Amino acid sequence: MSFVFQAEVRSDMGKGASRRLRHADQVPAIVYGAAKEAVSVTLDHKKLIIAQAKPEFYTELLTLVINGEEVKVKVKDIQRHPVKAKLVHLDFVRA
């Protein structure tokens, strides 16, 4: 199964900006690795919740479309809310 997510580069950083994103059903994330500069992005929370319920989400390569460019990544870390069924932050490493 192939997972493809639309990701938007985010310019606002910090706790307040991340909280605003989460309130708008977006998830802040970072893409790093492969000797390239790290990129902060946002993803749609609903699509991620559905995808992360499948075991392939954690083992296969995912595709993030960032500014029209397809980037192959693997999930490195997921931070979840301790009580609610919500994703708080994701780390992706380039493949």
Side-chain angles (χ1 to χ4, degrees):
M1 173 175 247
S2 173
F3 295 100
V4 179
F5 299 101
Q6 295 293 326
E8 296 179 19
V9 176
R10 62 183 185 134
S11 55
D12 287 346
M13 301 295 171
K15 188 189 307 185
S18 294
R19 286 181 178 171
R20 285 189 292 278
L21 286 173
R22 290 184 197 106
H23 187 70
D25 272 342
Q26 297 290 313
V27 179
I30 189 158
V31 179
Y32 56 87
K36 294 183 181 178
E37 190 172 327
V39 178
S40 295
V41 296
T42 61
L43 300 159
D44 183 37
H45 186 266
K46 292 177 185 177
K47 291 180 182 178
L48 282 172
I49 282 290
I50 293 168
Q52 63 95 34
K54 299 178 173 99
E56 297 87 15
F57 180 79
Y58 302 97
T59 58
E60 292 184 5
L61 287 178
L62 312 176
T63 303
L64 297 181
V65 180
I66 305 170
N67 291 338
E69 178 187 350
E70 291 188 358
V71 180
K72 297 288 186 182
V73 297
K74 284 195 94 158
V75 175
K76 184 69 173 177
D77 186 41
I78 297 179
Q79 296 174 17
R80 302 176 198 281
H81 191 278
V83 177
K84 301 175 186 174
K86 290 204 149 231
L87 302 174
V88 177
H89 189 273
L90 285 100
D91 287 10
F92 296 105
V93 63
R94 290 182 184 98

